[in-house]
Amino acid sequence: MENLTIANQSNATVTRGSGVSDVLNLHGVFEFECFDKDGNLKWKDIGYNTVSNQGKNGMMDTYLGLSPALASAWYMSLVTAGTATTSSTYATPIVTEITSSIVATRPTVAWSAASAGSKAATTTAFSIIGSATITGNMLVTATSNGSVIANTAGTGGIFFSGAAFSGGSKAVTSGDTLNVTYSLSI
């Protein structure tokens, strides 16, 4: 006697959302051009920023409604030593800021509207009034005394980001103009 066994077998796999993710990373770039008193280009460099935890937290709290929108201006300043880290804060920037004998104040930063996940600042100019070796810069805000060089006690102070020059330290002298542009992408 012959036996014949007939069986049906079926396998199916459903994968949902495979390979789909949404990652939010901040990528900032500072571009620097230094001109001498006669308008000749002395040097160019670029710096990729480190956004501090204080900057990230301030951005999220403001956007997600836990803090009011910032009514204070943003400022850039130059750095003579140290490297900004995610632990940098307005009160403890970890970097050494340039003195007021080199630049009178922190210049105000003007912003364009965000587009396609990116926001840029117009060119911020530093009028150099002394001589120094600089290593990079930083971006800060405060509701009081934010334009004051080396101020670490400004009300509502936030150290957003800082960057070191990619090509090493640079010299500036009295009469120079250092133009800095900044863009941030998410």
Side-chain angles (χ1 to χ4, degrees):
M1 170 187 259
E2 289 185 30
N3 288 334
L4 177 63
T5 306
I6 299 176
N8 289 332
Q9 185 174 3
S10 175
N11 290 325
T13 303
V14 176
T15 304
R16 296 180 185 203
S18 175
V20 175
S21 65
D22 191 8
V23 178
L24 182 67
N25 290 313
L26 300 175
H27 301 280
V29 178
F30 291 93
E31 295 180 35
F32 308 91
E33 290 185 326
C34 184
F35 296 90
D36 67 17
K37 63 182 170 61
D38 298 319
N40 299 310
L41 180 65
K42 288 177 65 172
W43 53 265
K44 291 173 74 168
D45 208 331
I46 194 165
Y48 299 97
N49 79 187
T50 296
V51 178
S52 73
N53 289 331
Q54 185 181 43
K56 292 174 188 175
N57 293 342
M59 190 168 87
M60 288 188 291
D61 284 348
T62 300
Y63 189 79
L64 297 175
L66 296 175
S67 297
L70 294 173
S72 55
W74 286 91
Y75 305 94
M76 277 191 204
S77 194
L78 302 176
V79 171
T80 60
T83 302
T85 70
T86 57
S87 298
S88 294
T89 66
Y90 192 87
T92 310
I94 301 176
V95 296
T96 303
E97 188 175 359
I98 204 156
T99 65
S100 59
S101 65
I102 308 304
V103 177
T105 62
R106 294 173 177 161
T108 304
V109 177
W111 299 98
S112 63
S115 176
S118 186
K119 188 163 184 79
T122 58
T123 300
T124 302
F126 289 87
S127 297
I128 308 298
I129 58 174
S131 295
T133 299
I134 55 177
T135 60
N137 76 327
M138 60 189 201
L139 180 65
V140 299
T141 187
T143 55
S144 66
N145 298 318
S147 66
V148 176
I149 296 285
N151 172 37
T152 57
T155 305
I158 295 174
F159 183 106
F160 185 76
S161 69
F165 296 132
S166 63
S169 60
K170 306 286 184 214
V172 291
T173 56
S174 183
D176 288 351
T177 299
L178 178 60
N179 292 328
V180 183
T181 55
Y182 178 67
S183 61
L184 181 69
S185 299
I186 297 177

